Amino acid sequence: MSARGTSDGAIAVIGLGRFGCHLAGALTRLGHEVLAVDRDSDQVQRWAPYLERVVQADATEEDALRQLGLADFRRVVVAIGVSLEASVLTVVALTEVGVPQIWARATSDKHARILASVGAHHVIFPEAETGERVAHLIVSRMLDFIEFGDDFAIAKVPVPPSLVGRSLRDLTPERYGVLVVGAKLPEERFRYATADTVLSKGTVLIVEGTIAQVQQFANLG
């Protein structure tokens, strides 16, 4: 993977602590190109054999991000957890280079508010969320995702644009691979899915199926 001209599926993970490494590994297993970045040379050397591309750089410096081609990435995850200052400055630098989707790790509610105020689009708390789960959320339109083992998952997803105006009677497991178990229409509460429910723009669905089926359904156009 070259630094510039990256594919749309490429994702950068900044910070190679336990969470950052688990996340980078999970994204790689999902078939995405991953650029892992850390300012500590020991961490870079430690994880180089396990990740496709690992580089040493100070991600708080805008020039360093540009040299790595981060301006060409659509999604970047700031997984830094030890230094609040480095975490915040990295988000600021990513905002300056124009990254459209910045995911940032927070270690407290105060940290989360600061990250959001300086430009983070999504704030995550890895103490409560696994790297595998966050990886699925990053690479799809899913709003929430729970894996139960044996390749089974339940997800909350916005209704795909192509299904707006259709009834749940049309969304059969045979056709779409997932079972719709709940629906929340705009301005309404979640309720059990019924065949007569008509999907409008802004509807949120609860679906179940294999991990691959749920992921594929969430990414329908």
Side-chain angles (χ1 to χ4, degrees):
M1 178 178 60
S2 62
R4 309 196 71 82
T6 57
S7 69
D8 186 61
I11 301 167
V13 176
I14 299 174
L16 292 177
R18 180 189 303 176
F19 175 71
C21 290
H22 286 174
L23 176 60
L27 290 168
T28 299
R29 289 191 295 275
L30 286 172
H32 291 266
E33 297 175 286
V34 176
L35 169 63
V37 182
D38 199 285
R39 68 197 306 176
D40 187 329
S41 60
D42 290 339
Q43 285 293 86
V44 170
Q45 292 177 10
R46 177 185 178 187
W47 292 106
Y50 305 102
L51 299 173
E52 181 181 354
R53 185 167 180 237
V54 187
V55 298
Q56 180 185 2
D58 183 353
T60 65
E61 298 291 337
E62 184 179 334
D63 288 343
L65 297 182
R66 292 189 185 280
Q67 289 175 10
L68 288 173
L70 267 292
D72 296 331
F73 279 69
R74 189 165 66 87
R75 293 167 291 194
V76 177
V77 184
V78 181
I80 300 169
V82 176
S83 171
L84 186 150
E85 180 182 9
S87 167
V88 172
L89 290 178
T90 298
V91 170
V92 171
L94 290 168
T95 302
E96 290 298 317
V97 302
V99 175
Q101 283 191 37
I102 302 171
W103 295 66
R105 171 189 181 179
T107 55
S108 67
D109 289 338
K110 181 179 180 180
H111 187 190
R113 289 194 297 271
I114 295 172
L115 291 170
S117 70
V118 298
H121 304 102
H122 307 274
V123 177
I124 50 182
F125 290 86
E127 286 72 17
E129 303 180 81
T130 67
E132 195 79 32
R133 177 175 179 273
V134 173
H136 281 281
L137 294 176
I138 289 172
V139 301
S140 76
R141 297 172 62 245
M142 288 188 286
L143 304 174
D144 205 351
F145 173 87
I146 302 174
E147 182 180 350
F148 291 93
D150 296 326
D151 195 31
F152 183 82
I154 293 178
K156 180 167 68 173
V157 301
V159 61
S162 60
L163 299 180
V164 171
R166 306 277 291 277
S167 71
L168 287 180
R169 184 176 287 103
D170 298 327
L171 273 68
T172 62
E174 292 78 17
R175 184 170 184 179
Y176 291 97
V178 299
L179 177 65
V180 180
V181 296
K184 181 185 183 301
L185 276 65
E187 311 302 327
E188 296 184 15
R189 294 184 176 183
F190 271 107
R191 63 189 184 190
Y192 287 112
T194 65
D196 295 327
T197 300
V198 177
L199 304 175
S200 57
K201 184 178 180 180
T203 297
V204 175
L205 303 175
I206 302 296
V207 302
E208 64 181 28
T210 67
I211 294 174
Q213 289 169 337
V214 169
Q215 189 93 34
Q216 184 177 19
F217 181 80
N219 289 330
L220 284 175

